Amino acid sequence: MRRLDQLLSNLGYCSRREARDFLKKHAVTVGGKPARNPSAKAAPADVLIDGEPLDHPDGLLLLINKPLGLVCSHEEREGPRVYDLLPERWRARNPQVTSIGRLDKDTSGLILLTDRTELVHKYTSPKHKVPKLYRATVDRDLSPELIPLFAAGTLVLDGEDAPCAPAELHLFPDAPRTAELVLTEGKYHQVRRMFAATGATVLTLHRVQFGRLTLGDLKPGTFREVTESEI
Ligand code: URA
């Protein structure tokens, strides 16, 4: 059971302060009875707003195909944000919808967004070691010697003390400047810095997979919900 004003503000319908007005303007019922008192407690499943059940009362988990040029930060001054692709009510949720880890502005591909703080902690915790698959193109032909180098778990990035965890590198004989890299951690700009440590500059970077989740045929700039059975 949660207070109605809290429930409405958690789910992005209005702020707690606006709840009394919201209840006047909308037909809100709890268990079929009209609700007027913002401090009354209700089980989310019993609430209807203008005849509709509450919008994702148990939280959102979205898989988005991030286009280039958007940031995962919430700071508007850093440029257009991935959150700007979401419906307004979802952007108004509290806790706010946030990304699980980050992709750079210049990286495209799969990123998860959620307002479930426990999932953010779970999937960004170093303990969890979710494998993340990236596809990169670089400015020079890649040598097969990089495969054991990345796999060894000894590569130390510029400015770091601890080495990178072992990472799986796949090369493509027909495309010597393309690589796929599987990381189980997420140091700042890690893929770009790992290639930089070998003298190569990453030109394009796209995340293809996060754990078992893939983009499928999701178009850039679009998202879908992730079901409980997928995580
Ligand atoms: N590594 C990077 O360098 N950038 C990303 O966005 C993700 C991983």
Side-chain angles (χ1 to χ4, degrees):
M1 301 278 266
R2 256 186 284 170
R3 281 171 62 118
L4 267 178
D5 53 1
Q6 187 159 27
L7 199 51
L8 292 171
S9 87
N10 289 157
L11 303 183
Y13 287 92
C14 59
S15 68
R16 283 183 75 164
R17 223 156 30 86
E18 292 160 347
R20 190 171 294 281
D21 253 12
F22 186 93
L23 294 176
K24 280 188 197 143
K25 288 194 189 126
H26 295 267
V28 179
T29 58
V30 177
K33 298 199 184 82
R36 293 262 183 273
N37 180 0
S39 58
K41 292 207 167 161
D46 294 339
V47 180
L48 294 180
I49 299 182
D50 300 325
E52 299 284 335
L54 291 175
D55 183 5
H56 293 80
D58 300 324
L60 289 169
L61 178 59
L62 307 168
L63 184 161
I64 191 159
N65 186 352
K66 178 182 128 24
L68 295 173
L70 301 191
V71 297
C72 294
S73 151
H74 285 275
E75 295 287 345
E76 273 180 74
R77 62 188 150 83
E78 290 188 26
R81 302 163 303 179
V82 280
Y83 315 104
D84 298 332
L85 299 169
L86 303 180
E88 197 177 329
R89 191 190 295 146
W90 290 0
R91 281 188 273 134
R93 285 171 83 109
N94 170 27
Q96 69 184 351
V97 175
T98 192
S99 62
I100 298 184
R102 286 191 176 184
L103 291 179
D104 308 335
K105 194 172 189 170
D106 298 331
T107 302
S108 57
L110 195 164
I111 186 141
L112 296 176
L113 306 182
T114 189
D115 59 348
R116 293 168 56 182
T117 40
E118 87 280 6
L119 292 183
V120 178
H121 295 306
K122 178 170 169 187
Y123 289 116
T124 54
S125 139
K127 269 189 289 171
H128 210 73
K129 295 193 174 40
V130 186
K132 284 151 286 205
L133 170 60
Y134 296 88
R135 188 170 302 135
T137 60
V138 297
D139 67 340
R140 64 200 61 202
D141 291 4
L142 293 164
S143 152
E145 285 166 18
L146 297 185
I147 297 172
L149 177 68
F150 283 4
T154 52
L155 186 73
V156 179
L157 300 178
D158 209 18
E160 305 264 343
D161 295 326
C164 294
E168 215 179 288
L169 179 68
H170 299 270
L171 299 180
F172 301 90
D174 296 340
R177 297 184 177 199
T178 297
E180 284 187 350
L181 184 61
V182 182
L183 300 185
T184 55
E185 56 184 352
K187 295 184 197 292
Y188 180 68
H189 286 185
Q190 186 164 348
V191 176
R192 294 175 203 277
R193 290 164 73 209
M194 285 177 77
F195 282 107
T198 75
T201 300
V202 169
L203 302 177
T204 65
L205 186 58
H206 181 72
R207 186 153 72 185
V208 180
Q209 200 168 337
F210 182 99
R212 290 188 295 132
L213 295 166
T214 56
L215 282 171
D217 49 17
L218 200 63
K219 305 250 176 329
T222 64
F223 56 85
R224 70 167 178 89
E225 287 179 44
V226 176
T227 61
E228 225 42 51
S229 66
E230 292 180 276
I231 58 172

